[in-house]
Amino acid sequence: MADTGRQTLPLSFNVNGSRYDVEVEPHELLLDVIRKRLGLTGAKRSCDVQVCGACTVLLNGRPVSSCTLPAFEARDKDVLTIEGMARDGKLHPIQEAFIEYGGFQCGFCTPGMILTAKTLLDENPNPTEEDVIEYMNGNICRCTGYKKIVESIVAVGKGEVS
């Protein structure tokens, strides 16, 4: 094969429990790798400057903006996308709550909201409305569905959704 002059880096990482080995360019973003190479389209490109949360994925259990994170920063780490939240055909309780309580409208921001909510509930299993509002401040819903989003997350903490 002819040398294209492009520099690539090997990237081995786990996504939703599966191991992937890909070659990435140094400037390639995690969002592009998971969407274009792995076909996982839950994380969305929106602001490209880490302010909206639409591109949120979990990297070793912490929310990150995949639209600005170089893909090679995920090497040897675990990435969780919205596609990996359900287990054995059963939605995660946060996903169930968003459905039951109407915590979504158009759905564009929903994957990032759910993944961020997961980290909140992992750290604080029974958050107050104020806790949720503060923790979720980096996720924007352009449909103004915040009230239902907060209710959904609080309901999971209270055990109202299984």
Side-chain angles (χ1 to χ4, degrees), residues 117-128 131-132 153-160:
K118 181 183 183 320
T119 62
L120 166 61
L121 291 164
D122 287 347
E123 293 172 13
N124 179 358
N126 192 13
T128 64
D131 294 334
V132 173
I153 298 166
V154 170
V156 175
K158 289 182 176 178
E160 295 172 1

Side-chain angles (χ1 to χ4, degrees), residues 5-8 18 26 30 45 52 62 65 68 75 98 126 137 146 160:
R6 290 182 146 169
Q7 178 188 7
T8 61
S18 295
L30 182 59
R45 179 175 303 285
C52 75
R62 303 297 311 154
S65 296
T68 58
R75 68 187 173 277
F98 268 64
N126 192 13
N137 71 2
Y146 295 110
E160 295 172 1

Side-chain angles (χ1 to χ4, degrees), residues 22-144:
V22 296
E23 292 285 325
V24 298
E25 295 181 29
H27 66 276
E28 205 165 356
L29 300 172
L30 182 59
L31 178 64
D32 295 325
V33 171
I34 62 177
R35 285 184 62 85
K36 295 176 182 174
R37 304 262 193 98
L38 306 184
L40 302 171
T41 58
K44 306 291 191 281
R45 179 175 303 285
S46 184
C47 71
D48 283 329
V49 290
Q50 295 182 313
V51 297
C52 75
C55 68
T56 300
V57 298
L58 302 187
L59 184 64
N60 283 351
R62 303 297 311 154
V64 297
S65 296
S66 64
C67 72
T68 58
L69 186 72
F72 68 83
E73 291 292 331
R75 68 187 173 277
D76 300 321
K77 295 182 179 162
D78 295 315
V79 174
L80 179 66
T81 70
I82 193 68
E83 292 89 349
M85 288 283 291
R87 292 283 182 239
D88 300 321
K90 181 170 173 32
L91 293 177
H92 189 281
I94 301 168
Q95 292 171 304
E96 291 284 353
F98 268 64
I99 293 168
E100 184 176 330
Y101 287 81
F104 63 94
Q105 287 185 30
C106 80
F108 192 83
C109 70
T110 305
M113 291 280 188
I114 289 173
L115 289 162
T116 302
K118 181 183 183 320
T119 62
L120 166 61
L121 291 164
D122 287 347
E123 293 172 13
N124 179 358
N126 192 13
T128 64
E129 285 188 15
E130 293 77 23
D131 294 334
V132 173
I133 290 166
E134 182 179 335
Y135 199 91
M136 301 296 292
N137 71 2
N139 292 78
I140 297 172
C141 174
R142 289 175 176 86
C143 298
T144 66

